[in-house]
């Protein structure tokens, strides 16, 4: 009888006490070699909240990457966006949702060639979409192609209001045995039999157009579990070729409050779909602490222990006062129904939140084994909430994150790493640079990547050290006191000596400034100072230039509403936050206003202001507590600003 079929004891605690001996290999540090930056410098875009490999969507033989920016408000408040970066070329395709405040890009995934046309496809989740019902959620599917476009080919909607359908999306493997990959969508707030027990929906690939009807719904066990908070494919856990998938439910209260669980489902034999009952349940022991949130993140772990079966890694960022952990379970030919973890990797200090993200990143060390990365986005090194990501080499045994390889920020031109929250997301990226070895990507959705705006960035760790092509130009917009606006453009090509003929134009081609008049070099930036009244008439501006080879290049930038001119509520920062965030608002005149914090059910949990304010800008701090001073639970909270018959809303995520 194997070790994992014996009676369960206080498994996590015993492993951490030293039942396993650490034999971590010491290899050279991994370093971010380049960064993918947000297409505009509007703060609060949460660029990098999600990141995933897209497969090969354009069929050129090179890996592609997709990045989500659910707070992108360039074309609508929290409309959100996603960007596909094509490997090798640096070209990209910009995608955006259909409705404001839908958080398009909260989740992104490559889902394989689900329509059988020879090109890989992608899915983008918008869990706050209101098209059918309030925050019912929506998923957009885009088919790849040699000339892929930005029009969604499939639109999938959740079943009921507040389901948050699209909170996570994932490839599923071929779960019905028809030769086409399938895909999965999580809706952790779905009332599938009980309040917020959550659900995961299976959609089947098909030659032509896959159906918009789900093939099967998998449900959480008990109300409040939030089953479907995370989901991942697991290609071959048993080593017999049977595909599977794993689902996280971080708020399961058995055997401990908010201990969480994860569930593994195997495809049925003979083309049958997986059973509604999980085949394997990963859960804490009764001796483990509450609020560990096992299942916050889940991922296959490749062949981490160097055998021929796919392993699983599960994050529990709330463990021991948010010290956090990652639990690794090795694949089994004869799986136990409730296996004990083979490795438990503990965060370094309380509050690190190790395990917010986990990912299999392939063989990035050239060891012929699979490596995994685990994010600790609340770690206060090298600055408060700067975040840290650890790489763990396959074939070694770990008990602490301190034994892993710290992924260093490298040569990124950061204003300051504090508040970046590096490690909120992480993903395998495929071979982006064409050197034959896999790369990986890390999200820092509140990062300040030399843009003077908290837009977020995605760091690329390149196995060869060759930088992946990035967006060549960024724009920052700064209103001035004399009703003018300063536009600053920065990027690799701005300082390049072999480019010329720079100009700023409207979307319709009207010239606003060029190097002859109104556009000047200031240090590492190109600067144009233009009339705010003129800019308010426009939705976007274009920066155009000519390369030394005579090629015409253009970057387009949306122009958000200029501050201090309208009644508006600004995106909270940081977001996600722990323990506090700052929410600002601007008023065109003095008035009586209220600013309230609401939970997902619309209940007021805190009033931050109820009185006179303005005109101008005001910032208020929200410390994650209710009116009675009690610490609120993890989750999404809404901010509602009301005054003189006007209202504005925004939201932030509390992550512990």
């Amino acid at each position: 009888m194997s070790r994992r079929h014996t009676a369960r004891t206080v498994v996590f605690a015993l492993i951490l006490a030293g039942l396993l001996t650490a034999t971590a290999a010491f290899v050279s540090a991994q370093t971010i070699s380049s960064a993918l930056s947000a297409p505009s410098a509007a703060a609060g875009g949460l660029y990098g909240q999600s990141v995933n490999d897209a497969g090969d969507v354009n069929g050129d033989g090179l890996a592609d990457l997709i990045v989500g920016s659910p707070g992108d408000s360039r074309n609508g408040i929290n409309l959100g966006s996603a960007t596909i970066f094509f490997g090798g070329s640096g070209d990209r395709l910009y995608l955006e949702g259909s409705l404001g405040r839908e958080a398009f890009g909260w989740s992104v995934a490559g889902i394989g060639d689900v329509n059988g046309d020879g090109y890989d496809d992608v899915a983008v989740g918008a869990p706050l979409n209101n098209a059918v019902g309030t925050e019912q959620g929506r998923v957009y599917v885009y088919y790849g192609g040699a000339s892929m476009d930005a029009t969604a080919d499939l639109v999938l909607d959740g079943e009921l209001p507040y389901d948050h359908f699209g909170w996570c999306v994932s490839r599923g493997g071929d779960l019905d045995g028809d030769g086409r990959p399938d895909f999965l969508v999580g809706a952790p707030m779905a009332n599938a039999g009980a309040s917020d027990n959550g659900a995961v929906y299976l959609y089947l690939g098909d030659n032509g157009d896959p159906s918009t009807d789900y093939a099967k719904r998998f449900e959480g066990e008990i109300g409040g579990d939030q089953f479907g908070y995370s989901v991942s494919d697991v290609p071959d856990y048993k080593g017999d070729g049977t595909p599977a998938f794993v689902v996280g439910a971080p708020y399961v209260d058995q055997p401990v409050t908010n201990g969480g669980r994860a569930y593994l489902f195997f495809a049925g034999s003979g083309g049958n779909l997986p059973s509604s009952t999980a085949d394997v349940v990963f859960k804490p022991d009764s001796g483990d602490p509450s609020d560990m949130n096992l299942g916050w993140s889940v991922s296959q772990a490749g062949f981490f222990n160097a055998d021929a079966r796919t392993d699983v890694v599960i994050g529990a960022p709330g463990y021991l006062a948010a010290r956090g952990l990652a639990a690794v379970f090795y694949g089994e030919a004869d799986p136990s129904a409730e296996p004990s973890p083979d490795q438990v990797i503990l965060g370094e200090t309380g509050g690190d939140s190790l395990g917010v993200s986990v990912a299999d990143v392939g063989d990035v060390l050239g060891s012929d084994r699979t490596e995994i990365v685990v994010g600790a986005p609340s770690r206060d090194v090298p600055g408060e909430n700067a975040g840290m990501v650890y790489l763990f080499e396959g074939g070694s045994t770990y008990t602490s994150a301190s034994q892993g390889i710290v992924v260093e920020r490298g040569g990124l031109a950061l204003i300051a790493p504090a508040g970046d929250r590096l490690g909120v997301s992480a993903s395998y990226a495929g071979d982006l640079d064409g050197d034959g070895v896999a790369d990986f990507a890390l999200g820092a959705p509140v990062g300040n990547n030399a843009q003077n705006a908290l837009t977020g960035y995605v760091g690329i760790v390149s196995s060869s050290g060759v930088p992946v092509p990035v967006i060549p130009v960024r724009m920052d917009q700064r209103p001035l006191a004399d009703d003018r606006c300063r536009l600053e453009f920065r990027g690799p090509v701005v300082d390049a000596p072999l480019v010329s003929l720079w100009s700023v134009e409207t979307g319709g081609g009207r010239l606003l400034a060029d190097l002859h008049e109104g556009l000047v070099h200031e240090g590492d930036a190109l600067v144009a100072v233009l009339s705010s009244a003129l800019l308010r008439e426009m939705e976007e501006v274009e920066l155009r230039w000519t390369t030394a080879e005579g090629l015409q290049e253009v970057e387009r930038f949306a122009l958000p509403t200029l501050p201090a001119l309208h009644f508006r509520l600004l995106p909270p920062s940081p977001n996600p936050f722990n323990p506090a965030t700052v929410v600002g608002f601007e008023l065109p005149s003095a008035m009586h206003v209220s600013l309230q914090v609401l939970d997902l059910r619309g209940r007021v949990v805190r009033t931050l202001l109820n009185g006179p304010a303005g005109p101008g800008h005001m910032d208020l701090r929200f410390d994650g507590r209710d009116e009675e001073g009690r610490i609120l639970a993890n989750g999404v909270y809404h901010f509602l600003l009301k005054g003189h018959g006007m209202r504005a809303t925004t939201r932030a995520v509390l992550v512990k």
Side-chain angles (χ1 to χ4, degrees):
M1 182 175 292
S2 71
R3 174 183 61 81
R4 298 209 295 159
H5 290 235
T6 59
R8 301 182 79 240
T9 57
V10 187
V11 175
F12 286 90
L14 287 176
I15 291 178
L16 292 173
L19 286 181
L20 296 179
T21 301
T23 58
F26 293 93
V27 296
S28 59
Q30 296 291 290
T31 303
I32 294 174
S33 60
S34 58
L36 304 174
S37 302
S40 77
L46 295 181
Y47 188 83
Q49 175 67 34
S50 59
V51 61
N52 218 317
D53 72 295
D56 181 10
V57 296
N58 60 350
D60 64 355
L62 297 171
D64 306 315
L65 187 73
I66 183 168
V67 177
S69 181
D72 188 345
S73 298
R74 286 174 294 161
N75 296 324
I77 297 175
N78 288 346
L79 178 70
S81 66
T83 306
I84 298 175
F85 292 89
F86 299 106
S89 67
D91 293 337
R92 62 199 179 280
L93 178 65
Y94 177 77
L95 312 172
E96 67 180 16
S98 57
L99 293 174
R101 298 182 173 88
E102 70 173 335
F104 178 94
W106 182 262
S107 61
V108 295
I111 56 175
D113 181 14
V114 298
N115 68 333
D117 65 354
Y119 298 92
D120 287 335
D121 310 313
V122 298
V124 180
L128 302 182
N129 181 279
N130 296 318
V132 180
T134 304
E135 296 186 5
Q136 193 155 321
R138 172 170 282 185
V139 169
Y140 301 80
V141 176
Y142 300 83
Y143 297 156
S147 299
M148 186 179 180
D149 62 41
T151 302
D153 296 284
L154 287 179
V155 176
L156 313 172
D157 288 307
E159 294 187 279
L160 295 171
Y162 299 105
D163 276 2
H164 289 181
F165 177 86
W167 184 267
C168 56
V169 290
S170 174
R171 69 184 75 222
D174 184 10
L175 293 169
D176 63 347
D178 68 349
R180 292 262 67 82
D182 309 314
F183 64 99
L184 303 153
V185 178
M189 298 294 185
N191 299 319
S195 177
D196 294 347
N197 63 328
V200 166
Y201 298 83
L202 169 62
Y203 292 86
L204 301 179
D206 191 13
N207 290 337
D209 273 331
S211 174
T212 56
D213 296 326
Y214 63 84
K216 190 161 186 172
R217 183 179 69 190
F218 302 84
E219 303 174 3
E221 296 180 274
I222 302 173
D225 284 359
Q226 294 195 30
F227 176 92
Y229 197 93
S230 57
V231 63
S232 172
D233 67 317
V234 181
D236 194 7
Y237 187 84
K238 294 190 289 187
D240 62 357
T242 302
F245 64 94
V246 60
V247 179
Y251 293 100
V252 174
D253 287 333
Q254 295 293 333
V256 295
T257 302
N258 289 336
R261 291 185 180 182
Y263 302 83
L264 187 67
F265 298 83
F266 293 117
S269 60
N272 291 319
L273 297 180
S275 169
S276 298
T277 302
D279 297 280
V280 178
V281 179
F282 309 104
K283 65 182 184 180
D285 191 84
S286 58
D288 290 316
S290 60
D291 298 314
M292 64 186 295
N293 302 129
L294 185 74
W296 186 278
S297 59
V298 295
S299 176
Q300 62 161 300
F303 305 135
F304 189 65
N305 69 331
D307 66 7
R309 292 182 288 268
T310 307
D311 305 322
V312 172
V313 57
I314 304 171
Y319 187 81
L320 288 182
R323 191 171 185 175
L325 63 79
V328 180
F329 297 83
Y330 298 158
E332 288 270 4
D334 182 19
S336 166
E338 295 182 7
S340 301
D342 293 280
Q343 294 195 43
V344 174
I345 305 168
L346 185 64
E348 294 194 67
T349 60
D352 282 1
S353 297
L354 184 83
V356 164
S357 64
V358 294
D360 151 33
V361 295
D363 179 18
V364 298
L365 299 177
S367 62
D368 295 326
R369 302 185 182 99
T370 300
E371 278 74 59
I372 60 173
V373 294
V374 182
S378 299
R379 183 157 173 76
D380 292 334
V381 178
E384 184 178 0
N385 285 326
M388 188 169 286
V389 175
Y390 303 86
L391 176 72
F392 301 97
E393 184 178 9
S396 297
T397 303
Y398 302 86
T399 57
S400 170
S402 63
Q403 299 163 325
I405 302 166
V406 174
V407 180
E408 299 177 350
R409 284 168 168 78
L412 290 182
L414 301 174
I415 298 297
D420 280 1
R421 294 189 62 79
L422 180 69
V424 162
S425 61
S427 176
Y428 171 81
D431 182 13
L432 291 170
D433 52 13
D435 69 345
V437 183
D439 310 310
F440 61 95
L442 310 170
V446 201
N448 187 334
N449 188 25
Q451 300 178 59
N452 199 32
L454 302 178
T455 60
Y457 63 87
V458 171
I460 303 297
V461 180
S462 168
S463 52
S464 68
V466 177
V468 177
V470 300
I471 293 176
V473 184
R474 302 179 295 275
M475 183 186 80
D476 192 10
Q477 176 179 292
R478 299 183 183 182
L480 303 176
D482 58 356
D483 202 33
R484 294 187 301 165
C485 186
R486 177 183 174 95
L487 305 183
E488 297 181 1
F489 302 93
R490 288 184 174 84
V493 303
V494 172
D495 283 335
L498 299 180
V499 293
S500 59
L501 302 178
W502 293 90
S503 65
V504 180
E505 303 179 13
T506 67
R510 175 185 171 189
L511 180 66
L512 300 176
D514 60 24
L515 283 178
H516 302 292
E517 184 174 353
L519 185 64
V520 297
H521 278 283
E522 290 187 9
D524 63 348
L526 277 168
V527 176
V529 177
L530 302 171
S531 163
S532 296
L534 176 63
L535 293 176
R536 283 197 293 272
E537 299 173 359
M538 306 171 191
E539 294 184 353
E540 67 176 16
V541 296
E542 297 179 347
L543 182 69
R544 294 180 175 272
W545 69 96
T546 304
T547 69
E549 295 79 17
L551 299 176
Q552 302 294 317
E553 299 285 351
V554 61
E555 284 289 336
R556 295 178 176 86
F557 302 93
L559 290 170
T561 303
L562 298 178
L565 300 173
H566 300 279
F567 177 99
R568 69 171 184 159
L569 185 60
L570 303 176
S573 178
N575 186 10
F577 69 96
N578 176 22
T581 188
V582 173
V583 59
F585 61 88
E586 293 170 345
L587 304 175
S589 61
M591 64 181 71
H592 187 283
V593 297
S594 68
L595 180 59
Q596 297 173 316
V597 184
L598 289 72
D599 64 17
L600 285 173
R601 293 303 184 193
R603 297 169 294 197
V604 177
V605 297
R606 182 79 172 272
T607 298
L608 299 178
L609 175 66
N610 187 16
H617 179 97
M618 177 180 286
D619 287 325
L620 294 174
R621 184 176 183 272
F622 174 50
D623 61 2
R625 297 175 182 268
D626 66 12
E627 298 286 16
E628 305 300 323
R630 295 169 297 200
I631 298 175
L632 293 168
N634 292 344
V636 179
Y637 290 89
H638 298 257
F639 297 83
L640 172 62
L641 178 69
K642 294 187 294 185
H644 281 199
M646 297 177 286
R647 57 190 287 141
T649 62
T650 186
R651 55 181 59 85
V653 181
L654 174 59
V655 179
K656 299 177 183 176

